Amino acid sequence: EGYKQFLDNGKTERECVERTVSMAQAAGFKPFVRGMAVKPGDKFYQVNRGKAIMLAVIGRRGLAEGVNIGAAHIDSPRLDLKQNPLYESDELAFLKTHYYGGIRKYQWLSIPLELHGVVIRKNGTSVEVRIGAEPGDPVLAIPDLLPHLAAAQSQKPLGTAVDPEDLNIFIGSRPYAEAEGSDRIKLAVLDLLNEKYGITEEDFLSAELCAVPAFSAVDIGFDRSLIGSYGHDDRVCAYAALAALLDLEETPARTAVCMLADKEEIGSEGVTGMQSAAFDTFMSDLCDAQKVSLKACYEKSFCLSTDVTAAYDPNFPEVYEKRNSARINYGIGFCKYTGARGKSGSSDASAEVVAMVRRIMDDAGVIWQMAELGKVDAGGGGTVACYMANRDIDTLDAGVPVLSMHAPF
């Protein structure tokens, strides 16, 4: 139930960070400031530009003996608004979008959408936007082509049947009553936005607005054995890594770290992605407080790179290699390597690291399985594991098996 609340309250990475800060503060964590004293039992967090967050519980042993890291990402595939999104066509108003991450475009037509994000005015003030999230709110949608007129479209390959430039969100059709001429629908929308949020059309230039599915997390199946929602990838692993840290009842032997990163779905680039130096800066500041070399800490550390994996789906057996696929109800899936077509883009954990994790899990009575994502040349996927491994940190991929990965629900 806590995870479902995390999903419903965190449909963007910014909202996930806000939720995480609230949970961390309730568990006794405090913001970390460079130069602070660091002693066993201390609980710290540090937010990176509102889109990523790092947390640590300082262990009994010094940082020179390494740390244990749970790394996950909190961004999910979605539709971002373009910088000049608002337009009117034939007396209907729309918003132009640019999809974020790997989506199947047809899945985003004719489903209810919410608009989440921030608008930063030119004077630096911030406005939070959440349209469709509250009871009674209107929702948005992208119209689909009716089957009566879709004969030509239906002949196209599934991947190209929907042009990304056609993922335009319908937002209104009622004209502004006190004006004449063209673009009266657009003007009416702008008037509503200005009345509710105090923003103008120019403010879209410095906005980050995301269209996300207007679904709440619910139980799936007669037996309620699964959870259906938007954003399992990768908020299920992010929540688990976070909960593990917050639930520590005693000071751990080694310092425990949780890294919730942004931008994984588009390559982990940028100042809030896993390739950013922000993580190194946080860890370096902790090490400096104990007069420990960051390099010495990293070379003795261990990371679980936690990202969802594909659960075997008997409806599509042709893309899975059944002996090496993750199965629903068989526990967390460990992946020695991810990547695609010849392990490209993976860190490929050593046999020694895998054996260590096997021993830890078995000793603790954890149900687990080994898996890879589909047949060798059927596709593949990436995680943040390679970026942790590049830091000289032993890393193994681990993830919750999910059905319909990257779908809106």
Side-chain angles (χ1 to χ4, degrees):
E1 295 306 311
Y3 171 51
K4 287 192 280 189
Q5 292 176 17
F6 188 79
L7 287 167
D8 290 344
N9 288 279
K11 291 194 172 183
T12 67
E13 62 275 12
R14 287 181 183 269
E15 292 175 355
C16 284
V17 168
E18 292 173 2
R19 182 75 174 178
T20 298
V21 168
S22 176
M23 294 169 65
Q25 289 177 342
F29 284 69
K30 58 185 178 182
F32 179 75
V33 179
R34 183 175 298 150
M36 292 177 69
V38 171
K39 63 183 186 300
D42 284 345
K43 301 177 180 181
F44 298 114
Y45 71 87
Q46 187 173 87
V47 174
N48 180 11
R49 296 168 172 87
K51 297 184 183 181
I53 184 169
M54 298 151 286
L55 307 97
V57 177
I58 307 302
R60 299 189 304 273
R61 301 175 188 168
L63 290 165
E65 297 190 39
V67 302
N68 291 330
I69 305 165
H73 69 90
I74 48 177
D75 60 315
S76 291
R78 59 178 187 253
L79 300 177
D80 287 346
L81 296 197
K82 292 189 177 185
Q83 302 312 110
N84 289 296
L86 180 57
Y87 73 99
E88 179 179 332
S89 178
D90 297 292
E91 299 185 8
L92 297 176
F94 296 91
L95 293 170
K96 298 289 295 182
T97 68
H98 191 132
Y99 66 92
Y100 174 97
I103 69 168
R104 305 191 76 183
K105 301 176 189 69
Y106 74 90
Q107 294 179 337
W108 289 76
L109 305 180
S110 291
I111 63 170
L113 300 172
E114 301 171 2
L115 195 65
H116 291 231
V118 295
V119 178
I120 309 299
R121 300 189 189 94
K122 191 161 58 174
N123 63 8
T125 57
S126 174
V127 181
E128 183 178 354
V129 174
R130 284 170 62 94
I131 299 174
E134 302 299 327
D137 273 4
V139 296
L140 311 176
I142 300 172
D144 197 0
L145 185 60
L146 63 162
H148 313 69
L149 300 178
Q153 184 195 51
S154 297
Q155 299 304 311
K156 295 180 181 179
L158 192 61
T160 60
V162 179
D163 190 302
E165 294 294 348
D166 293 337
L167 294 174
N168 303 315
I169 302 171
F170 170 78
I171 56 169
S173 63
R174 182 173 294 169
Y176 189 64
E178 299 177 14
E180 297 181 358
S182 62
D183 283 356
R184 294 173 64 203
I185 314 298
K186 175 182 173 181
L187 188 60
V189 168
L190 284 170
D191 184 60
L192 289 170
L193 290 174
N194 184 260
E195 180 182 346
K196 183 174 178 62
Y197 296 107
I199 59 176
T200 66
E201 184 173 11
E202 187 179 354
D203 290 326
F204 281 115
L205 295 174
S206 52
E208 292 179 358
L209 296 171
C210 315
V212 296
F215 303 136
S216 296
V218 294
D219 296 334
I220 296 288
F222 291 138
D223 59 357
R224 297 177 177 267
S225 57
L226 300 181
I227 297 173
S229 177
Y230 164 68
H232 284 319
D233 183 8
D234 182 32
R235 290 167 191 147
V236 62
C237 296
Y239 181 79
L242 173 63
L245 204 69
L246 301 186
D247 289 349
L248 284 174
E249 295 180 355
E250 299 179 357
T251 300
R254 296 221 299 181
T255 292
V257 176
C258 176
M259 172 65 200
L260 304 183
D262 181 28
K263 298 291 186 289
E264 191 277 340
E265 297 294 357
I266 57 172
S268 295
E269 307 280 357
V271 292
T272 53
M274 198 63 248
Q275 295 195 68
S276 168
F279 178 75
D280 304 300
T281 301
F282 175 68
M283 290 303 303
S284 179
D285 288 341
L286 291 179
C287 287
D288 288 346
Q290 293 190 357
K291 296 181 171 55
V292 171
S293 162
L294 179 64
K295 292 183 289 185
C297 176
Y298 276 176
E299 67 188 13
K300 293 186 177 180
S301 294
F302 172 71
C303 175
L304 274 185
S305 171
T306 58
D307 204 343
V308 296
T309 189
Y312 178 79
D313 188 340
N315 290 300
F316 306 100
E318 64 278 3
V319 295
Y320 295 93
E321 198 270 281
K322 201 169 183 179
R323 289 174 58 87
N324 287 285
S325 293
R327 306 291 291 269
I328 291 289
N329 294 332
Y330 280 75
I332 187 171
F334 291 105
C335 303
K336 186 177 186 297
Y337 47 81
T338 54
R341 298 173 184 86
K343 302 184 181 180
S344 177
S346 72
S347 66
D348 202 352
S350 70
E352 290 85 352
V353 168
V354 176
M356 177 190 71
V357 173
R358 285 178 59 197
R359 183 171 61 253
I360 292 171
M361 296 298 142
D362 288 347
D363 288 349
V366 174
I367 298 172
W368 61 276
Q369 57 186 316
M370 289 295 289
E372 59 181 67
L373 202 156
K375 287 184 175 178
V376 174
D377 276 352
T383 68
V384 301
C386 57
Y387 309 117
M388 282 301 194
N390 288 346
R391 291 174 159 93
D392 194 23
I393 299 172
D394 280 328
T395 304
L396 179 65
D397 274 293
V400 176
V402 299
L403 297 168
S404 302
M405 190 193 299
H406 279 217
F409 183 81

